[in-house]
Amino acid sequence: MSAAAAHLPHPLQSPRHNAALRRSMRKKASIRRAAMITSAVPVLVNSCAGKMGHAVGEAVLESGNTLLPYSVAGPDVGVDVVNCAGQPIQLVPPEEAVSLITRLKEEHPELIVVDYTVPAIVNANADMYCSLGVPFVMGTTGGDRDALKAAVTASEATHAVVAPQMGKQVVAFQAMMQRMSEMFPGAFNDYTLSVVESHQKTKVDTSGTAKAIVESFRALGVQPFDDDDIELVRNPNDSVDRMGVPETYLDGHAYHTYRLTSPDGTVAFEFQHNVNGRAIYAQGTVDAVLFLHRQLYGKPGGATQKLYDMIDVLEAGVMR
Ligand SMILES: NC(=O)C1=CN([C@@H]2O[C@H](COP(=O)(O)OP(=O)(O)OC[C@H]3O[C@@H](n4cnc5c(N)ncnc54)[C@H](O)[C@@H]3O)[C@@H](O)[C@H]2O)C=CC1
Ligand SMILES: O=C(O)C1=N[C@H](C(=O)O)C[C@H](O)C1
């Protein structure tokens, strides 16, 4: 070795080597993270006995993730087991929910719960998930939405995606109206708003999606409009004759029309989103589950927010 070479840093200590070493370590860590987040996510769906819960259970299985063979179901369900795409799901009464979730969380530390139950218990269920420290995706509508979001934000131990609408394209429309109201507040000053929504006759509450979108119209300056002003269609004949719902989708549809009219009646805008079936919500719910799992376990330091909505999921670019 020459005298000059003797003064050069050993290759293993050179700045270039150290940078390469850091790059390689980052790559390995990223591969480890990717391996972790591409492995099947364990999902408990409450309630697989219901229409949405059942559709989500099937979508979880179809996506290659793990649908746990249990589901909390209400007192209205007359059976002990339901079948989701060939997988039997044991139904558990609400009074056993805490012990079931506690056990499943011990067995599956990366457990994510999905909730599609009924508006009457949406707050109680959210409080339960928060107190058990289990991350959840809340698709159930209704209840006290401010209290629900506050519970998640204040929770020490958990994170959640909460949204009344999981369908990608409808979420994009919702985001667009929200952006429009932020960019052009008052653009529809004094316009009159009317909203009509049609759903299957078993839906007990007003569309949570319509309520969320009406918030943007209020910010755009329309004349006073309460959530109670949203017109509900639940009669199948009206759904077909007035709203144009195909008869085959009477048991599962969500048709929304928002009409804005200028004070002098010379200008009108109409927006519609009409969904048949439940596929886009079920698929969006799986996207939300994977998003939440990635926030929690796929990033160094974990999730940066307690509470997410579907616009966060859409903005992350992870909706299929
Ligand atoms: N976020 C979204 O994209 C969507 C939200 N939804 C919402 O999902 C909710 C469920 O809708 P569907 O499935 O159509 O209703 P559904 O009536 O078919 O199902 C509700 C289920 O909740 C269960 N339940 C009742 N009390 C319970 C309790 N104490 N614990 C556990 N489960 C209980 C019932 O047994 C039933 O199986 C509604 O709030 C609806 O608005 C529906 C579609 C899309
Ligand atoms: O109950 C339903 O069916 C739906 N509920 C959600 C809502 O209330 O906004 C979403 C969609 O309208 C279907």
Side-chain angles (χ1 to χ4, degrees):
M1 184 189 294
S2 71
H7 289 99
L8 285 174
H10 186 279
L12 287 180
Q13 295 158 359
S14 73
R16 188 182 293 171
H17 171 80
N18 287 342
L21 192 63
R22 277 197 300 275
R23 271 200 303 279
S24 149
M25 285 168 66
R26 272 201 300 271
K27 191 169 173 198
K28 280 186 188 147
S30 133
I31 290 167
R32 274 200 305 276
R33 281 198 300 276
M36 187 161 65
I37 62 175
T38 49
S39 62
V41 177
V43 187
L44 170 69
V45 180
N46 300 328
S47 162
C48 279
K51 294 181 284 295
M52 261 315 294
H54 194 267
V56 171
E58 290 184 337
V60 168
L61 288 169
E62 196 180 306
S63 68
N65 289 287
T66 304
L67 177 65
L68 298 178
Y70 304 94
S71 180
V72 181
D76 55 312
V77 180
V79 293
D80 293 337
V81 176
V82 291
N83 199 296
C84 254
Q87 177 167 315
I89 307 291
Q90 174 72 51
L91 301 180
V92 169
E95 50 280 15
E96 290 173 25
V98 169
S99 59
L100 173 73
I101 296 169
T102 305
R103 174 169 69 78
L104 291 178
K105 185 142 176 60
E106 276 166 18
E107 290 170 6
H108 307 274
E110 295 182 13
L111 171 70
I112 306 256
V113 174
V114 172
D115 191 295
Y116 279 102
T117 56
V118 286
I121 57 159
V122 65
N123 290 96
N125 276 8
D127 291 347
M128 171 175 66
Y129 304 139
C130 287
S131 70
L132 295 174
V134 64
F136 62 99
V137 173
M138 179 57 80
T140 309
T141 52
D144 182 336
R145 304 307 283 184
D146 290 338
L148 166 47
K149 291 173 193 167
V152 177
T153 308
S155 150
E156 289 286 312
T158 203
H159 302 256
V161 177
V162 177
Q165 175 60 244
M166 306 287 177
K168 179 179 180 177
Q169 294 73 18
V170 186
V171 175
F173 172 69
Q174 187 189 340
M176 188 180 76
M177 300 318 291
Q178 190 178 301
R179 297 263 163 83
M180 184 157 119
S181 72
E182 287 158 6
M183 289 170 74
F184 311 116
F188 284 84
N189 266 347
D190 295 331
Y191 271 55
T192 305
L193 174 66
S194 70
V195 182
V196 55
E197 56 93 337
S198 171
H199 283 81
Q200 60 280 354
K201 67 174 191 283
T202 51
K203 181 166 174 66
V204 292
D205 61 335
T206 303
S207 163
T209 310
K211 289 184 194 170
I213 288 172
V214 160
E215 272 181 41
S216 298
F217 287 126
R218 284 194 199 103
L220 283 162
V222 298
Q223 289 196 2
F225 188 94
D226 289 336
D227 289 351
D228 290 344
D229 295 327
I230 298 170
E231 187 187 351
L232 275 55
V233 177
R234 296 289 182 271
N235 177 315
N237 290 333
D238 292 343
S239 296
V240 173
D241 297 340
R242 182 173 163 202
M243 306 292 284
V245 176
E247 286 194 20
T248 38
Y249 288 107
L250 280 174
D251 287 342
H253 69 273
Y255 278 40
H256 296 71
T257 301
Y258 312 82
R259 191 173 171 82
L260 294 147
T261 311
S262 66
D264 64 1
T266 57
V267 183
F269 283 76
E270 201 168 273
F271 301 94
Q272 285 194 347
H273 47 94
N274 295 341
V275 177
N276 289 323
R278 298 183 171 84
I280 65 168
Y281 317 126
Q283 199 166 50
T285 305
V286 174
D287 294 336
V289 165
L290 299 179
F291 165 87
L292 190 55
H293 187 262
R294 190 174 292 115
Q295 296 300 313
L296 289 164
Y297 307 112
K299 303 194 313 183
T304 50
Q305 284 173 227
K306 288 262 159 211
L307 177 67
Y308 298 92
D309 62 22
M310 284 308 283
I311 298 179
D312 296 314
V313 181
L314 183 67
E315 281 174 347
V318 293
M319 294 193 79
R320 292 160 294 165

